[in-house]
């Protein structure tokens, strides 16, 4: 039975979706805000997420980015925002599909079936929601880093860099890829940005920043997280 997480603050629409989905043997989880959605996405491991962009506590595009930090679960946006730039933002953030309101239930169900088929075919291994090392622990859902008994305070940019590296353990992530993901495509040649922020991360996380154990530089190529 495929599990669908519906993230929507319109209670009437949620009821309609739940009735239609459960009638077609889907198991439905509900979240009316981004905080609840993140917790359910982490604990219930849905097969697909149906997401409205207009949430009370976070813009839906930011929620997509947050989920994409640790999960490849298919995300189907269901939104009243119909402008092409809204669709591009959501898809660039990591959404797999976009349906505008008002919508046909038959079309939505067809897109859900396609998403769950892709999910089953991929049979992908999810990145853990918590990454523990001998030196520190990273909670990818709560966006927190613990070192010893204290919380490490990271800037949004530092967190984004760390999140990308931790989500690809043992794999080289190129300088261009990191610059593109964190700063945007016009910054792909600004490797000095990376040097500065990686130095800051090492000072906060490594026991010996001059000889890093976890955040490794591959000279002239990129960076790698070694768990």
């Amino acid at each position: 039975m495929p599990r669908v997480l519906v993230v929507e603050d319109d209670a009437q629409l949620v009821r309609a979706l739940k009735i239609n989905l459960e009638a077609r043997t889907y198991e439905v989880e509900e979240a009316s805000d981004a905080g609840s959605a993140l917790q359910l996405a982490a604990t219930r491991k849905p097969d697909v997420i149906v997401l409205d962009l207009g949430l009370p506590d976070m813009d839906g595009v930011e929620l997509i980015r947050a989920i994409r930090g640790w999960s490849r679960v298919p995300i189907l946006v269901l939104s009243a925002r119909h402008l092409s730039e809204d669709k591009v933002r959501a898809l660039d953030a990591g959404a797999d599909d976009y349906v505008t309101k008002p919508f046909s239930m038959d079309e939505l169900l067809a897109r859900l079936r396609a998403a769950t088929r892709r999910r089953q075919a991929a049979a992908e291994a999810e990145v853990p929601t918590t990454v523990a090392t001998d030196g520190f622990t990273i909670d990818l859902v709560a966006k927190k880093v613990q070192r010893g008994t204290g919380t490490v305070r990271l800037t949004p940019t530092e967190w984004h860099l760390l999140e990308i590296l931790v989500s690809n353990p043992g794999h080289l992530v190129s300088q261009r890829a990191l610059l593109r993901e964190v700063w945007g495509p016009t910054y792909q040649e600004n490797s000095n940005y990376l040097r500065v922020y990686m130095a800051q991360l090492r000072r906060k996380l490594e026991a010996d920043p001059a000889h890093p154990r976890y955040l490794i530089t591959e000279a002239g190529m990129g960076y790698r997280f070694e768990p």
Side-chain angles (χ1 to χ4, degrees):
M1 183 182 293
R3 180 179 293 126
V4 179
L5 172 58
V6 176
V7 186
E8 168 66 66
D9 62 347
D10 182 337
Q12 186 173 349
L13 178 55
V14 171
R15 283 194 297 271
L17 287 170
K18 187 170 184 178
I19 290 169
N20 279 276
L21 291 172
E22 289 182 342
R24 292 161 176 86
T25 70
Y26 287 94
E27 181 181 345
V28 180
E29 302 279 351
E30 309 167 31
S32 59
D33 56 60
S36 301
L38 281 169
Q39 291 298 323
L40 286 171
T43 58
R44 299 295 290 160
K45 303 293 184 186
D47 296 294
V48 61
I49 296 175
V50 176
L51 168 66
D52 180 28
L53 296 181
L55 299 173
D57 56 341
M58 181 189 293
D59 183 76
V61 171
E62 294 305 314
L63 177 56
I64 294 169
R65 292 195 182 104
I67 293 171
R68 279 292 171 259
W70 51 272
S71 176
R72 302 271 70 84
V73 60
I75 298 175
L76 192 161
V77 172
L78 184 61
S79 176
R81 302 178 190 176
H82 61 277
L83 297 177
S84 60
E85 51 261 42
D86 293 319
K87 298 177 183 179
V88 168
R89 285 182 67 234
L91 294 169
D92 281 350
D96 296 271
D97 205 347
Y98 196 109
V99 177
T100 55
K101 301 174 183 177
F103 61 92
S104 158
M105 186 61 71
D106 286 340
E107 178 188 359
L108 178 65
L109 290 166
R111 291 176 184 259
L112 271 177
R113 288 193 295 271
T116 53
R117 282 197 301 270
R118 290 194 297 269
R119 170 73 164 173
Q120 292 163 0
E124 61 192 356
E126 298 290 348
V127 174
T129 57
T130 301
V131 177
T133 73
D134 292 337
F136 50 87
T137 300
I138 305 166
D139 187 331
L140 288 164
V141 178
K143 295 184 178 294
K144 291 182 179 179
V145 180
Q146 293 288 130
R147 185 178 178 189
T149 58
T151 299
V152 180
R153 297 190 179 278
L154 299 182
T155 68
T157 301
E158 290 168 349
W159 172 261
H160 199 174
L161 274 174
L162 182 64
E163 188 178 49
I164 294 169
L165 292 170
V166 168
S167 299
N168 297 274
H171 295 284
L172 173 70
V173 183
S174 72
Q175 293 180 0
R176 288 173 63 87
L178 285 168
L179 288 162
R180 184 176 61 249
E181 287 296 320
V182 177
W183 284 278
T186 59
Y187 290 84
Q188 290 181 126
E189 306 302 326
N190 294 65
S191 57
N192 58 308
Y193 281 44
L194 281 176
R195 286 193 293 272
V196 170
Y197 279 91
M198 290 301 297
Q200 291 173 186
L201 276 175
R202 285 175 176 142
R203 283 196 294 270
K204 293 180 178 183
L205 299 178
E206 298 277 4
D208 183 358
H211 301 89
R213 157 69 180 84
Y214 304 104
L215 302 172
I216 309 300
T217 299
E218 298 287 353
M221 295 187 291
Y223 297 88
R224 179 166 41 87
F225 170 70
E226 284 294 347

